[in-house]
Amino acid sequence: MLANILSISLGAILINNFIFSQFLGCCPFLGCSNKVDTAAGMGLAVVFVMGLASAICWVIDNYILIPLNLAFLETLAFILVIAALVQFVEMFLKKSVPSLYSALGIYLPLITTNCAVLGVVLLNVQNNYNFIESLVYGITGGLGFMLAIVLFASVRERTQFSDYPECFEGFPICLVSAALVAMAFMGFSGMKIF
Amino acid sequence: MNRKQQFKEGLITNNPVLVQQIGMCATMAITTTLFNGVGMGLSVLIILTCCNVVVAALRKIIPDEIRLAIFVVVIAGFVTIVDLLLQAFIPALSAALGVFIPLIVVNCIIIGRAEAFCQKNTVKDSFFDGIFQGLGYTCVLIIMCVFRELVGSGRFGGGLIDIANGFRFTLDGTGGGIQIFPEEFGMSIMNLPFGGFLTLGLLIGLMQYALKRSEKKKKEADRAAKEAAALKEVEE
């Protein structure tokens, strides 16, 4: 069990990193990586929502949808759960931890359309994970996202001072540097655990 | 609304991926063979057109405060329909695209068009907008697929074109494609995530270059015309 959890977490953080090897969550990854601070805030929010979403969606899938033979409605049910969850987290933070709420700002509602969140829930179903495994995969997947976005933000802060062709301004130079970071992450792909 | 203008906007001047720069996750992830690219592009085109029509038809009765939730439900409904249809009739495509078919729900292109276009326009205009924007998306996918497949493994049309049993198109994903140069000479890194990021980056860079250039040309032409007019006035 423990070995299994360890292999899931290492896989989610390094080997099958959500951004650099599965391309899930690229929009916020490219959109919110201007500064290391905001990148870390976004990463933290994603860890939180991904963990909660995988736990709640697992319960809903296994105790409501599958017993009622409604598994074909998974996509619809999950996206609604995620949207409601994000709204709920937003209200909760606003009332009880206003400092974190103001730090996350606009990024919190944007998490609804982050495909890493819906992706992790769908992958949990696809891989037949049990409750603990789903929760671990959600949290570590979020940590992998956070690692990627923080690393990339520090790369991107430097590209601002470098001299690149004018037509590459904005997204293109970002994507090219992301390609190089992805190449670095390819080094993990040969790793085998247990 | 002018159809020609809409067509040009969808394909070039307001292309969803290259100019609006949205919906990039799937664009980079699945563009490894032509089969995946065409399949994904057409799925998005169908879903986008259906959602555009429904949202435009309901635009007067959707309350403003909960419009995003309604859009998401409409989109998720159509995505589920397409997902089940693909599983039933083109299982190879469903297996190849995997989690990216259900993830069309959170593809920003569809919710973006619903929010930016269909809320304010008629059903007919929205229908054509869906088709043209979907076509623009499909074209980008095809360009990326062709490039990555050619450079990565020296092939064209993998999965879609079957030349082993005579030249024909297959939908079961078994076609080997046309081998242009031996696979060992390809840069297999282009088939990996690195290639996805790099190809899209270069493509958007190229697009920005072309757009800037055409703008400059237009400005120069305007100036030349003005100068000519001024010269004529002076002569008279």
Side-chain angles (χ1 to χ4, degrees):
Chain A
M1 186 66 193
L2 201 65
N4 196 9
I5 285 177
L6 199 65
S7 95
I8 289 177
S9 4
L10 265 183
I13 296 177
L14 295 178
I15 303 165
N16 284 319
N17 186 287
F18 265 78
I19 289 171
F20 292 126
S21 78
Q22 306 195 45
F23 289 114
L24 293 172
C26 290
C27 300
F29 169 69
L30 294 167
C32 305
S33 54
N34 284 323
K35 278 192 194 143
V36 176
D37 299 351
T38 49
M42 180 71 186
L44 217 62
V46 169
V47 174
F48 191 57
V49 174
M50 269 168 86
L52 260 178
S54 17
I56 293 176
C57 288
W58 188 88
V59 171
I60 285 180
D61 195 35
N62 280 275
Y63 289 103
I64 299 178
L65 294 180
I66 293 179
L68 292 175
N69 274 328
L70 288 174
F72 64 90
L73 285 181
E74 271 166 359
T75 315
L76 188 60
F78 291 164
I79 188 70
L80 288 179
V81 168
I82 291 170
L85 188 70
V86 171
Q87 196 81 56
F88 178 75
V89 168
E90 196 181 341
M91 286 183 334
F92 175 77
L93 285 182
K94 202 174 182 178
K95 270 265 185 304
S96 56
V97 201
S99 57
L100 186 60
Y101 174 78
S102 59
L104 290 179
I106 178 103
Y107 303 122
L108 211 48
L110 278 181
I111 294 175
T112 314
T113 53
N114 184 340
C115 46
V117 180
L118 186 60
V120 78
V121 176
L122 291 168
L123 285 172
N124 280 336
V125 174
Q126 221 174 55
N127 296 343
N128 278 322
Y129 282 157
N130 65 27
F131 182 74
I132 304 282
E133 285 169 337
S134 301
L135 186 63
V136 168
Y137 193 50
I139 292 174
T140 51
L143 285 176
F145 178 87
M146 189 173 164
L147 175 73
I149 197 170
V150 170
L151 279 181
F152 183 60
S154 26
V155 172
R156 207 173 148 181
E157 276 185 353
R158 309 213 163 191
T159 58
Q160 282 170 357
F161 303 109
S162 44
D163 191 20
Y164 46 80
E166 194 192 347
C167 62
F168 272 83
E169 196 162 338
F171 262 56
I173 192 67
C174 234
L175 284 164
V176 173
S177 31
L180 296 174
V181 184
M183 188 144 74
F185 263 74
M186 267 169 52
F188 293 117
S189 66
M191 245 161 72
K192 270 214 178 86
I193 322 155
F194 311 113
Chain B
M1 192 167 283
N2 190 350
R3 296 275 170 265
K4 235 182 196 166
Q5 178 75 20
Q6 261 186 314
F7 179 74
K8 201 178 152 199
E9 269 183 12
L11 254 70
I12 302 168
T13 52
N14 200 14
N15 186 295
V17 180
L18 298 182
V19 180
Q20 297 174 48
Q21 301 174 339
I22 49 179
M24 299 205 278
C25 304
T27 311
M28 291 187 280
I30 54 94
T31 47
T32 46
T33 65
L34 194 60
F35 180 57
N36 290 355
V38 174
M40 182 76 186
L42 292 184
S43 311
V44 169
L45 192 152
I46 293 167
I47 294 169
L48 181 59
T49 312
C50 294
C51 290
N52 272 5
V53 168
V54 171
V55 169
L58 298 177
R59 69 185 187 279
K60 286 189 184 126
I61 53 171
I62 293 178
D64 210 37
E65 303 84 36
I66 54 163
R67 65 180 193 284
L68 287 178
I70 293 177
F71 294 165
V72 168
V73 173
V74 171
I75 296 168
F78 282 112
V79 169
T80 308
I81 293 172
V82 169
D83 188 17
L84 294 176
L85 283 175
L86 284 182
Q87 277 178 27
F89 294 108
I90 320 180
L93 185 64
S94 179
L97 296 178
V99 79
F100 284 98
I101 290 279
L103 280 181
I104 297 176
V105 177
V106 283
N107 193 321
C108 318
I109 293 176
I110 299 173
I111 207 161
R113 287 327 281 177
E115 173 84 17
F117 191 88
C118 310
Q119 270 189 317
K120 301 164 208 136
N121 289 288
T122 59
V123 174
K124 208 170 155 197
D125 285 339
S126 302
F127 172 77
F128 283 102
D129 182 72
I131 290 190
F132 295 145
Q133 292 280 332
L135 269 181
Y137 183 65
T138 313
C139 286
V140 173
L141 287 188
I142 291 177
I143 294 171
M144 282 189 65
C145 288
V146 169
F147 179 74
R148 281 179 74 183
E149 217 185 344
L150 182 69
V151 179
S153 43
R155 257 202 313 268
F156 173 75
L160 199 64
I161 300 169
D162 185 14
I163 48 168
N165 310 315
F167 190 88
R168 65 190 180 90
F169 291 99
T170 55
L171 282 180
D172 52 8
T174 53
I178 303 167
Q179 198 76 39
I180 293 175
F181 55 84
E183 196 165 346
E184 305 87 76
F185 295 163
M187 298 196 288
S188 60
I189 198 170
M190 290 307 282
N191 292 329
L192 296 169
F194 168 82
F197 282 113
L198 187 69
T199 315
L200 189 60
L202 295 181
L203 207 58
I204 296 181
L206 200 69
M207 189 71 184
Q208 289 190 354
Y209 176 73
L211 282 181
K212 245 179 213 154
R213 210 171 146 167
S214 77
E215 215 169 84
K216 215 176 179 183
K217 234 182 207 167
K218 216 178 191 178
K219 254 186 208 158
E220 259 164 29
D222 277 357
R223 210 173 51 206
K226 252 185 212 160
E227 270 170 14
L231 212 65
K232 218 174 184 185
E233 249 172 46
V234 172
E235 272 174 10
E236 277 170 6

